[in-house]
Amino acid sequence: MLITHDTRCALDTVVDLVNTAPEDDATPDGLPDVAALDDFVRRHQISDVGVLSEFDLSAVRKVRGRFDAVFAAPDARSAAGLINELVAAAGTTPRLTDHDGYDWHMHYFAPGASVADHLAADCGMALAFFVVAGEQERLRRCEAPDCRRAFVDLSRNRSRRYCDSRTCGNRLHVAAYRARRKEAAG
């Protein structure tokens, strides 16, 4: 599956956005205030965003919840329905652009769109490409029992199971190794 630079950036953005959501009542929100949203926008180099407000924060949190549902969708039809709603609500306006030193690429948000509509359109279209390619199962959640972070499995054989093999994957492999050693020692 060919993934262009702008699609990869949108995928990274949507995964990071979904992962800002609190996992439970004890976990803090990764987007607690407008300053955190501004930092998120800057980190992901989201273009054409003006001054952010509480309204933007609220709207982005709603979009985040809808993207979360896409990652939890049980099948491609469900994911497609959710993505269609997101993209339609954002009022997509596909256009070619070559800003900030990047070669020609697509933007799907209308000029002057809110940051929530920008995210819904561009990130929604990036996820749509996976559904169209029959690759919806690559939109996953970490299989570690104490982690439910979202990720996109870009491995060749669709075998990635953990959000980060150095943390979640390694932790589980070490625990399994210790359990085997303990059992062998009797």
Side-chain angles (χ1 to χ4, degrees):
M1 176 174 193
L2 175 68
I3 300 174
T4 62
H5 172 76
D6 51 315
T7 300
R8 180 59 193 258
C9 289
L11 289 172
D12 291 343
T13 300
V14 72
V15 165
D16 286 349
L17 179 62
V18 168
N19 289 332
T20 64
E23 291 183 31
D24 53 38
D25 292 337
T27 309
D29 192 313
L31 290 176
D33 53 33
V34 175
L37 177 59
D38 190 52
D39 183 55
F40 182 88
V41 165
R42 221 181 354 258
R43 260 193 344 264
H44 289 282
Q45 298 177 344
I46 300 171
S47 60
D48 297 334
V49 175
V51 177
L52 300 172
S53 67
E54 287 292 331
F55 178 82
D56 292 310
L57 179 62
S58 176
V60 167
R61 285 178 176 164
K62 286 178 186 165
V63 166
R64 174 181 70 185
R66 300 188 77 193
F67 279 130
D68 185 62
V70 172
F71 278 85
D75 54 46
R77 184 165 304 285
S78 301
L82 293 164
I83 293 167
N84 283 339
E85 290 172 10
L86 268 163
V87 171
T92 58
T93 306
R95 62 190 167 99
L96 284 164
T97 183
D98 67 340
H99 63 87
D100 297 329
Y102 292 108
D103 205 358
W104 290 106
H105 61 281
M106 292 295 296
H107 278 192
Y108 296 96
F109 59 94
S114 71
V115 67
D117 285 346
H118 180 135
L119 290 168
D122 275 2
C123 296
M125 289 304 298
L127 295 177
F129 294 138
F130 277 79
V131 174
V132 168
E135 302 284 352
Q136 183 259 337
E137 75 275 0
R138 289 182 181 265
L139 309 177
R140 297 193 175 159
R141 291 289 186 168
C142 185
E143 290 183 18
D146 60 341
C147 179
R148 298 302 305 150
R149 292 177 60 83
F151 68 93
V152 177
D153 179 2
L154 296 177
S155 67
R156 280 186 193 208
N157 62 357
R158 299 173 188 86
S159 63
R160 187 171 163 198
R161 297 173 49 207
Y162 307 109
C163 63
D164 186 347
S165 60
R166 290 177 303 225
T167 54
C168 290
N170 189 45
R171 188 169 23 89
L172 287 176
H173 289 114
V174 168
Y177 171 78
R178 288 180 180 157
R180 287 191 306 272
R181 297 277 295 176
K182 184 177 180 181
E183 186 178 308

